[in-house]
Amino acid sequence: MRVSYIFPSIALLAPAFLSSVQASGAITESMSSHDDFIIADGYGPDRWGCSFRDSQVHESGAGTQITIGKDSDLKPFSCGELIHRQEDFGYGIYSIEMIPSSVVGQVTSFFVIANEDTEIDIELTGLNTKIAWMNIWHDHKQNPISINLPFDAADDWHTYSFEWRKNFVTWSVDGNVVLNRSDIATTPPDETNYRLVVNSWTQVNPEINIKWAGQFKYPNRGTPTSQFRNMRYRP
Ligand SMILES: *[C@@H]1O[C@H](CO)[C@@H](O)[C@H](O)[C@H]1NC(C)=O
């Protein structure tokens, strides 16, 4: 969902020679290391129940885990986000493997975003992990469509992808096309700066509506966790 991304220190954080990052190039990230990512820390949209803390983003042997915690100074909960250091994503094919949290109110997202222009999303919510939300934000409007999944996304790794072209966006799950839209415009990538992001956060107030993700309450047992691995982009 839309966040005002502020990247004041990108130049300081991103040396030009990062090995697996080529300017406007393809990327392949196992996500077992976070060298190519900026870890969000210390902010979060007002309407969310959490603010991003780097303490909630974990490298694991098999990718990245984002957890929900309670160490936010600003909000009831802390949550996590990784922003790829490459600054100029464009048309092409984006994919990732995810296992979303099944805790009601927790959102697990993979998206490209250009502030105030366009966002193309895949979102899984803990309220119902048998559907995926495919969304385009454009012109300050969301255009979400829910897709029934032939599995429970919380049970295992699956591949979620979208192909973004000038005149359409096609979403796929495990390589099968599930949605193709040409009815929503996107801002051309040469007119703005698209970033590639994953996050997990908590809905406490209606976003699209409360029935979208449900209202988050911290569970009595366990740590709410979403998992990500094998992020790819091919122009
Ligand atoms: C999606 O729709 C566009 C425009 O109608 C078309 O060019 C493209 O081939 C379609 N993609 C798929 C995978 O069906």
mmCIF file of all heavy atoms in Angstrom, residues 134-156:
data_model
loop_
_atom_site.group_PDB
_atom_site.id
_atom_site.type_symbol
_atom_site.label_atom_id
_atom_site.label_comp_id
_atom_site.label_asym_id
_atom_site.label_seq_id
_atom_site.Cartn_x
_atom_site.Cartn_y
_atom_site.Cartn_z
ATOM 1 N N MET A 134 -4.191 -8.429 -6.253
ATOM 2 C CA MET A 134 -3.381 -7.827 -7.303
ATOM 3 C C MET A 134 -3.895 -6.405 -7.480
ATOM 4 O O MET A 134 -5.094 -6.204 -7.702
ATOM 5 C CB MET A 134 -3.509 -8.620 -8.605
ATOM 6 C CG MET A 134 -3.334 -10.137 -8.449
ATOM 7 S SD MET A 134 -1.854 -10.604 -7.520
ATOM 8 C CE MET A 134 -1.711 -12.344 -7.949
ATOM 9 N N ASN A 135 -3.001 -5.441 -7.363
ATOM 10 C CA ASN A 135 -3.459 -4.056 -7.263
ATOM 11 C C ASN A 135 -2.591 -3.133 -8.105
ATOM 12 O O ASN A 135 -1.384 -3.369 -8.260
ATOM 13 C CB ASN A 135 -3.379 -3.629 -5.789
ATOM 14 C CG ASN A 135 -4.027 -2.288 -5.503
ATOM 15 O OD1 ASN A 135 -4.902 -1.837 -6.245
ATOM 16 N ND2 ASN A 135 -3.597 -1.650 -4.432
ATOM 17 N N ILE A 136 -3.202 -2.096 -8.643
ATOM 18 C CA ILE A 136 -2.451 -0.973 -9.205
ATOM 19 C C ILE A 136 -2.977 0.299 -8.543
ATOM 20 O O ILE A 136 -4.187 0.555 -8.574
ATOM 21 C CB ILE A 136 -2.630 -0.847 -10.742
ATOM 22 C CG1 ILE A 136 -2.157 -2.118 -11.452
ATOM 23 C CG2 ILE A 136 -1.871 0.372 -11.268
ATOM 24 C CD1 ILE A 136 -2.396 -2.098 -12.967
ATOM 25 N N TRP A 137 -2.076 1.037 -7.905
ATOM 26 C CA TRP A 137 -2.397 2.395 -7.467
ATOM 27 C C TRP A 137 -2.050 3.300 -8.636
ATOM 28 O O TRP A 137 -0.938 3.249 -9.160
ATOM 29 C CB TRP A 137 -1.469 2.834 -6.359
ATOM 30 C CG TRP A 137 -1.788 2.564 -4.953
ATOM 31 C CD1 TRP A 137 -1.329 1.520 -4.206
ATOM 32 C CD2 TRP A 137 -2.555 3.395 -4.071
ATOM 33 N NE1 TRP A 137 -1.771 1.650 -2.912
ATOM 34 C CE2 TRP A 137 -2.526 2.794 -2.806
ATOM 35 C CE3 TRP A 137 -3.273 4.591 -4.242
ATOM 36 C CZ2 TRP A 137 -3.173 3.337 -1.706
ATOM 37 C CZ3 TRP A 137 -3.909 5.126 -3.138
ATOM 38 C CH2 TRP A 137 -3.860 4.506 -1.890
ATOM 39 N N HIS A 138 -2.980 4.138 -9.003
ATOM 40 C CA HIS A 138 -2.621 5.161 -9.992
ATOM 41 C C HIS A 138 -3.567 6.332 -9.827
ATOM 42 O O HIS A 138 -4.749 6.134 -9.550
ATOM 43 C CB HIS A 138 -2.687 4.610 -11.424
ATOM 44 C CG HIS A 138 -2.164 5.587 -12.432
ATOM 45 N ND1 HIS A 138 -0.821 5.893 -12.541
ATOM 46 C CD2 HIS A 138 -2.796 6.371 -13.337
ATOM 47 C CE1 HIS A 138 -0.655 6.792 -13.495
ATOM 48 N NE2 HIS A 138 -1.841 7.112 -13.992
ATOM 49 N N ASP A 139 -3.043 7.530 -9.999
ATOM 50 C CA ASP A 139 -3.877 8.723 -9.899
ATOM 51 C C ASP A 139 -4.613 8.740 -8.558
ATOM 52 O O ASP A 139 -5.796 9.058 -8.497
ATOM 53 C CB ASP A 139 -4.867 8.740 -11.091
ATOM 54 C CG ASP A 139 -5.360 10.136 -11.387
ATOM 55 O OD1 ASP A 139 -4.762 11.096 -10.872
ATOM 56 O OD2 ASP A 139 -6.366 10.260 -12.120
ATOM 57 N N HIS A 140 -3.911 8.354 -7.489
ATOM 58 C CA HIS A 140 -4.431 8.378 -6.120
ATOM 59 C C HIS A 140 -5.597 7.419 -5.900
ATOM 60 O O HIS A 140 -6.367 7.593 -4.969
ATOM 61 C CB HIS A 140 -4.828 9.808 -5.712
ATOM 62 C CG HIS A 140 -3.701 10.773 -5.877
ATOM 63 N ND1 HIS A 140 -2.686 10.896 -4.948
ATOM 64 C CD2 HIS A 140 -3.386 11.614 -6.895
ATOM 65 C CE1 HIS A 140 -1.820 11.794 -5.378
ATOM 66 N NE2 HIS A 140 -2.211 12.243 -6.556
ATOM 67 N N LYS A 141 -5.710 6.414 -6.756
ATOM 68 C CA LYS A 141 -6.764 5.415 -6.569
ATOM 69 C C LYS A 141 -6.182 4.008 -6.565
ATOM 70 O O LYS A 141 -5.290 3.698 -7.335
ATOM 71 C CB LYS A 141 -7.795 5.506 -7.707
ATOM 72 C CG LYS A 141 -8.787 6.637 -7.533
ATOM 73 C CD LYS A 141 -10.052 6.404 -8.352
ATOM 74 C CE LYS A 141 -9.861 6.609 -9.835
ATOM 75 N NZ LYS A 141 -9.776 7.998 -10.239
ATOM 76 N N GLN A 142 -6.753 3.168 -5.690
ATOM 77 C CA GLN A 142 -6.406 1.759 -5.703
ATOM 78 C C GLN A 142 -7.348 1.019 -6.637
ATOM 79 O O GLN A 142 -8.511 1.384 -6.769
ATOM 80 C CB GLN A 142 -6.625 1.161 -4.327
ATOM 81 C CG GLN A 142 -5.961 1.913 -3.227
ATOM 82 C CD GLN A 142 -5.425 0.949 -2.196
ATOM 83 O OE1 GLN A 142 -4.965 -0.134 -2.542
ATOM 84 N NE2 GLN A 142 -5.466 1.335 -0.953
ATOM 85 N N ASN A 143 -6.855 -0.042 -7.224
ATOM 86 C CA ASN A 143 -7.677 -0.852 -8.123
ATOM 87 C C ASN A 143 -7.428 -2.338 -7.846
ATOM 88 O O ASN A 143 -6.925 -3.056 -8.700
ATOM 89 C CB ASN A 143 -7.338 -0.506 -9.579
ATOM 90 C CG ASN A 143 -7.559 0.966 -9.889
ATOM 91 O OD1 ASN A 143 -8.668 1.388 -10.166
ATOM 92 N ND2 ASN A 143 -6.499 1.775 -9.801
ATOM 93 N N PRO A 144 -7.767 -2.770 -6.629
ATOM 94 C CA PRO A 144 -7.434 -4.145 -6.258
ATOM 95 C C PRO A 144 -8.394 -5.176 -6.839
ATOM 96 O O PRO A 144 -9.595 -4.917 -6.965
ATOM 97 C CB PRO A 144 -7.558 -4.127 -4.730
ATOM 98 C CG PRO A 144 -8.571 -3.066 -4.449
ATOM 99 C CD PRO A 144 -8.431 -2.027 -5.537
ATOM 100 N N ILE A 145 -7.835 -6.319 -7.186
ATOM 101 C CA ILE A 145 -8.650 -7.469 -7.611
ATOM 102 C C ILE A 145 -8.154 -8.678 -6.830
ATOM 103 O O ILE A 145 -6.943 -8.909 -6.731
ATOM 104 C CB ILE A 145 -8.529 -7.698 -9.127
ATOM 105 C CG1 ILE A 145 -9.270 -6.577 -9.871
ATOM 106 C CG2 ILE A 145 -9.076 -9.072 -9.526
ATOM 107 C CD1 ILE A 145 -9.317 -6.722 -11.372
ATOM 108 N N SER A 146 -9.093 -9.445 -6.256
ATOM 109 C CA SER A 146 -8.676 -10.636 -5.515
ATOM 110 C C SER A 146 -8.711 -11.854 -6.421
ATOM 111 O O SER A 146 -9.600 -11.996 -7.258
ATOM 112 C CB SER A 146 -9.556 -10.854 -4.286
ATOM 113 O OG SER A 146 -10.838 -11.257 -4.678
ATOM 114 N N ILE A 147 -7.706 -12.689 -6.261
ATOM 115 C CA ILE A 147 -7.553 -13.895 -7.074
ATOM 116 C C ILE A 147 -7.592 -15.099 -6.133
ATOM 117 O O ILE A 147 -6.865 -15.145 -5.142
ATOM 118 C CB ILE A 147 -6.175 -13.864 -7.791
ATOM 119 C CG1 ILE A 147 -6.069 -12.650 -8.723
ATOM 120 C CG2 ILE A 147 -5.915 -15.182 -8.523
ATOM 121 C CD1 ILE A 147 -7.031 -12.657 -9.894
ATOM 122 N N ASN A 148 -8.455 -16.058 -6.444
ATOM 123 C CA ASN A 148 -8.481 -17.287 -5.644
ATOM 124 C C ASN A 148 -7.245 -18.122 -5.942
ATOM 125 O O ASN A 148 -6.909 -18.336 -7.106
ATOM 126 C CB ASN A 148 -9.732 -18.097 -5.958
ATOM 127 C CG ASN A 148 -10.980 -17.388 -5.483
ATOM 128 O OD1 ASN A 148 -11.026 -16.865 -4.374
ATOM 129 N ND2 ASN A 148 -11.993 -17.346 -6.324
ATOM 130 N N LEU A 149 -6.601 -18.596 -4.898
ATOM 131 C CA LEU A 149 -5.409 -19.430 -5.069
ATOM 132 C C LEU A 149 -5.795 -20.904 -4.930
ATOM 133 O O LEU A 149 -6.664 -21.241 -4.123
ATOM 134 C CB LEU A 149 -4.374 -19.074 -3.997
ATOM 135 C CG LEU A 149 -3.882 -17.625 -4.009
ATOM 136 C CD1 LEU A 149 -3.028 -17.343 -2.775
ATOM 137 C CD2 LEU A 149 -3.103 -17.325 -5.291
ATOM 138 N N PRO A 150 -5.117 -21.763 -5.690
ATOM 139 C CA PRO A 150 -5.429 -23.200 -5.578
ATOM 140 C C PRO A 150 -4.681 -23.855 -4.413
ATOM 141 O O PRO A 150 -4.458 -25.057 -4.409
ATOM 142 C CB PRO A 150 -4.951 -23.756 -6.927
ATOM 143 C CG PRO A 150 -3.858 -22.842 -7.346
ATOM 144 C CD PRO A 150 -4.171 -21.486 -6.773
ATOM 145 N N PHE A 151 -4.276 -23.060 -3.425
ATOM 146 C CA PHE A 151 -3.545 -23.569 -2.259
ATOM 147 C C PHE A 151 -3.717 -22.544 -1.143
ATOM 148 O O PHE A 151 -4.213 -21.436 -1.383
ATOM 149 C CB PHE A 151 -2.057 -23.764 -2.591
ATOM 150 C CG PHE A 151 -1.425 -22.571 -3.262
ATOM 151 C CD1 PHE A 151 -1.078 -21.438 -2.535
ATOM 152 C CD2 PHE A 151 -1.164 -22.571 -4.647
ATOM 153 C CE1 PHE A 151 -0.502 -20.336 -3.163
ATOM 154 C CE2 PHE A 151 -0.590 -21.468 -5.274
ATOM 155 C CZ PHE A 151 -0.265 -20.350 -4.522
ATOM 156 N N ASP A 152 -3.284 -22.916 0.056
ATOM 157 C CA ASP A 152 -3.209 -21.952 1.144
ATOM 158 C C ASP A 152 -1.800 -21.381 1.129
ATOM 159 O O ASP A 152 -0.822 -22.098 1.366
ATOM 160 C CB ASP A 152 -3.509 -22.646 2.478
ATOM 161 C CG ASP A 152 -3.552 -21.647 3.629
ATOM 162 O OD1 ASP A 152 -2.878 -20.597 3.567
ATOM 163 O OD2 ASP A 152 -4.279 -21.926 4.606
ATOM 164 N N ALA A 153 -1.703 -20.082 0.834
ATOM 165 C CA ALA A 153 -0.390 -19.465 0.647
ATOM 166 C C ALA A 153 0.487 -19.567 1.896
ATOM 167 O O ALA A 153 1.718 -19.548 1.796
ATOM 168 C CB ALA A 153 -0.564 -17.998 0.255
ATOM 169 N N ALA A 154 -0.132 -19.681 3.068
ATOM 170 C CA ALA A 154 0.631 -19.714 4.310
ATOM 171 C C ALA A 154 1.319 -21.058 4.538
ATOM 172 O O ALA A 154 2.171 -21.186 5.424
ATOM 173 C CB ALA A 154 -0.275 -19.386 5.493
ATOM 174 N N ASP A 155 0.958 -22.071 3.738
ATOM 175 C CA ASP A 155 1.488 -23.417 3.963
ATOM 176 C C ASP A 155 2.857 -23.660 3.362
ATOM 177 O O ASP A 155 3.595 -24.528 3.834
ATOM 178 C CB ASP A 155 0.534 -24.473 3.376
ATOM 179 C CG ASP A 155 -0.717 -24.627 4.225
ATOM 180 O OD1 ASP A 155 -0.731 -24.117 5.360
ATOM 181 O OD2 ASP A 155 -1.679 -25.243 3.731
ATOM 182 N N ASP A 156 3.186 -22.965 2.272
ATOM 183 C CA ASP A 156 4.426 -23.323 1.580
ATOM 184 C C ASP A 156 4.884 -22.166 0.686
ATOM 185 O O ASP A 156 4.147 -21.209 0.463
ATOM 186 C CB ASP A 156 4.189 -24.578 0.719
ATOM 187 C CG ASP A 156 5.468 -25.416 0.582
ATOM 188 O OD1 ASP A 156 6.570 -24.897 0.860
ATOM 189 O OD2 ASP A 156 5.341 -26.588 0.178
#
